[in-house]
Amino acid sequence: MSSRGNFSGRIGFILAAAGSAVGLGNIWRFPYLAGANGGAIFLVVYLACILLLCYPVMVGEIAIGRAANSDAFGSYSKLGTRRWGYLGLFGIMAGVFILSFYNVVAGWAFGYFLHISFGDLLNHQDFGGFFGAYVNDIIDVSSASGLANSNLIFSLIFMAVTAIIVSQGIQKGIEAANKIMMPSLYLILLGIIVYSLSLPNAMSGVRFYLVPDFSELNVGTVVNGLKQAFFSLSLGMGALITYGSYLSKKENIASSAIVISIADTSVAFFSGLMVFPLVHFLAFKLNIDPTQIGTQGPPLIFVVLPQIFSEMGAILGRVVGGAFFLLVCFAALTSTISLLEVPVAYLVDQKKMNRKVVVWGLALLIFILGLPSMMSQGMIASLNKLTFYRGQDFLTFIADMCDISLTVGGALMCIFISRQWGIDKMDAELVNGNEGYMQSRTRSYLHFTIRWVAPVLLGVLSLLIIVEKFFGVENLL
Ligand code: PHE
């Protein structure tokens, strides 16, 4: 075991897994999905998805990884057959594709951090125009503030930092980085919340965020909630199998998974609590109705928030805005390291390759794989409007395909546990570090959900997601 590396203990594992979970999905996607899907009602659906579907899948994945003590491919083939190994490989590929576009968005956030803290971004008048130009021209190196506008360079740096951390191994790299970044992330988040709640009109934002709108409850809300929950908890593609394989038998998986889920959900919830008071503060300042501020999609953090920071005045805007984008970078980085670790573990375990060589080779390869996503934001017209994908851009296409693969992967994992590996074997794994497990309610609950509820619901909802994506029947849902 020691030759593969391992986490030093429970805290290290939980911080790393929570770090994988907490990411762009929480800070950027959750608030706007909640805003667009009925506020508190979305939160309720989201929590139901976690309880009924995500928690059992999380426990299952960690148990598979720890029992097999191997990467995603190795774990499925060791506990099942080589054919099942391909499910692991499918997850590894999904991880590679997620990282390819995720790193592009992380690069945007890194660039914004630099431009707000050290440049003159907040002096711009037209934030929408700035963002459009920024993501469009990926190699623009001319900037008045002396900072390159180059996305290409920012995301290259982001990938390099990810690679440096992962190349240091599990304890000295991944665990150490998470131990610094995760607590800092919480501190920055809480700091900005306190500040944003003190702004004029903040309570109107809180009300908008937290008062449920039941008319928004429909199948679409459930599908969105589930997709978001799977992505946010890093499920269905082997990240937790891989991290689980570095976990000691002494630790309690069932309770660790609860802590990880709570850590992730609280950051998503708090991000909304940070964002909506800010948006309503802006509406107050500009004397407009908050609904006139477009909080949908990517523009929320890259267009609306910078405008808010600029309203705070030169110094305060720089400090709060800089802190916000640093928070986004930390959140993204703790996720990119887990995404890179998945294929790295595969090549190190299966092909017995040198860790450092694998890390740098894969980082470069995945960076190149991300170039079409990077160039799909306006630079290359045909990538910006895919004819076979309802005129959507390539980055959205890849992100959507990854969303689908996660819920499908989760459904197949449940089938793997009950039909191939054996749910009694999972039990045997979960008893390690949790002596009372066999008599616990958790056990009956996991059996019921993993055997019946999760595969059926995840199967049906995955089909709905596929239909929605390819045929655009959002209105039907
Ligand atoms: N959970 C991360 C987020 O919310 C994304 C992610 C997905 C990371 C899958 C690893 C694996 O941003």
Side-chain angles (χ1 to χ4, degrees):
M1 174 141 183
S2 53
S3 66
R4 291 184 73 242
N6 55 292
F7 289 113
S8 66
R10 180 176 156 89
I11 302 288
F13 169 73
I14 288 180
L15 281 178
S20 168
V22 171
L24 295 168
N26 304 59
I27 293 170
W28 160 60
R29 210 158 76 153
F30 183 85
Y32 84 74
L33 278 178
N37 286 282
I41 258 302
F42 185 74
L43 201 64
V44 173
V45 169
Y46 185 80
L47 289 177
C49 288
I50 292 191
L51 220 68
L52 217 59
L53 303 171
C54 299
Y55 175 73
V57 171
M58 182 182 288
V59 172
E61 280 200 25
I62 302 173
I64 289 175
R66 192 173 71 176
N69 191 21
S70 187
D71 64 287
F73 171 84
S75 292
Y76 276 113
S77 34
K78 209 157 152 185
L79 305 180
T81 56
R82 206 183 154 77
R83 283 259 286 284
W84 277 103
Y86 291 107
L87 174 57
L89 213 52
F90 175 70
I92 294 170
M93 289 312 294
V96 164
F97 279 102
I98 294 178
L99 183 53
S100 79
F101 78 81
Y102 201 91
N103 185 60
V104 172
V105 182
W108 296 347
F110 181 52
Y112 263 57
F113 165 66
L114 295 178
H115 278 287
I116 287 185
S117 301
F118 308 108
D120 61 356
L121 194 151
L122 294 183
N123 296 337
H124 277 260
Q125 301 298 320
D126 173 12
F127 291 95
F130 179 86
F131 180 59
Y134 175 74
V135 295
N136 181 331
D137 190 350
I138 65 164
I139 32 187
D140 174 13
V141 284
S142 61
S143 162
S145 62
L147 272 167
N149 258 346
S150 172
N151 251 198
L152 196 71
I153 295 178
F154 293 142
S155 32
L156 191 61
I157 295 177
F158 209 89
M159 187 63 97
V161 174
T162 305
I164 290 172
I165 296 172
V166 177
S167 69
Q168 299 302 309
I170 308 307
Q171 258 181 50
K172 281 209 244 124
I174 298 178
E175 181 173 327
N178 275 294
K179 277 187 168 158
I180 299 170
M181 281 190 284
M182 286 305 282
S184 320
L185 185 153
Y186 271 97
L187 280 180
I188 301 176
L189 183 61
L190 293 180
I192 304 182
I193 290 180
V194 170
Y195 174 70
S196 70
L197 286 179
S198 73
L199 292 170
N201 211 25
M203 283 309 138
S204 142
V206 175
R207 240 174 286 126
F208 168 79
Y209 180 45
L210 293 183
V211 173
D213 177 356
F214 288 96
S215 66
E216 291 279 355
L217 184 61
N218 53 32
V219 185
T221 324
V222 178
V223 169
N224 276 330
L226 179 72
K227 268 190 313 201
Q228 171 63 12
F230 252 71
F231 184 79
S232 186
L233 289 168
S234 311
L235 299 176
M237 42 67 71
L240 291 176
I241 296 183
T242 310
Y243 273 10
S245 73
Y246 304 126
L247 178 65
S248 139
K249 296 271 188 205
K250 289 200 297 275
E251 310 300 341
N252 182 334
I253 292 182
S255 71
S256 300
I258 294 181
V259 181
I260 298 164
S261 308
I262 293 178
D264 182 64
T265 309
S266 62
V267 172
F269 176 74
F270 286 143
S271 301
L273 212 51
M274 160 177 71
V275 166
F276 287 105
L278 288 175
V279 170
H280 284 239
F281 161 69
L282 181 67
F284 172 80
K285 269 268 186 172
L286 303 179
N287 204 7
I288 55 172
D289 192 83
T291 50
Q292 280 176 270
I293 301 176
T295 49
Q296 299 273 324
L300 176 59
I301 72 166
F302 293 107
V303 177
V304 179
L305 290 188
Q307 189 177 357
I308 297 169
F309 299 138
S310 80
E311 290 289 333
M312 292 177 180
I315 309 254
L316 202 61
R318 234 175 240 268
V319 173
V320 180
F324 173 79
F325 280 101
L326 185 64
L327 158 78
V328 180
C329 289
F330 279 174
L333 191 56
T334 52
S335 296
T336 52
I337 55 186
S338 76
L339 284 162
L340 184 59
E341 177 59 28
V342 173
V344 165
Y346 166 66
L347 291 180
V348 170
D349 284 352
Q350 301 303 318
K351 311 282 176 219
K352 308 280 173 261
M353 291 167 73
N354 174 287
R355 185 172 186 92
K356 286 208 162 59
V357 174
V358 167
V359 167
W360 286 101
L362 275 172
L364 185 66
L365 203 78
I366 298 174
F367 175 75
I368 294 171
L369 202 63
L371 290 179
S373 290
M374 198 189 292
M375 292 187 287
S376 72
Q377 301 301 302
M379 189 177 181
I380 296 185
S382 54
L383 287 175
N384 189 237
K385 290 205 175 359
L386 296 178
T387 42
F388 67 93
Y389 201 57
R390 295 187 293 121
Q392 310 224 48
D393 65 84
F394 187 78
L395 192 153
T396 307
F397 169 68
I398 294 287
D400 286 351
M401 294 308 106
C402 291
D403 270 348
I404 296 174
S405 65
L406 299 186
T407 44
V408 171
L412 293 174
M413 185 218 74
C414 294
I415 297 174
F416 171 79
I417 291 181
S418 56
R419 303 284 136 89
Q420 175 68 37
W421 185 32
I423 203 144
D424 50 324
K425 304 262 181 42
M426 183 188 82
D427 283 345
E429 184 55 45
L430 293 178
V431 169
N432 294 318
N434 183 3
E435 279 152 30
Y437 171 75
M438 287 312 262
Q439 294 79 37
S440 68
R441 291 228 177 94
T442 315
R443 175 170 176 252
S444 337
Y445 179 69
L446 287 172
H447 277 222
F448 179 60
T449 43
I450 291 184
R451 283 164 110 157
W452 309 108
V453 185
V456 174
L457 277 184
L458 288 177
V460 171
L461 290 170
S462 302
L463 277 178
L464 280 178
I465 298 176
I466 295 173
V467 171
E468 179 210 325
K469 294 295 179 208
F470 278 97
F471 306 102
V473 288
E474 287 100 353
N475 305 335
L476 254 182
L477 293 178

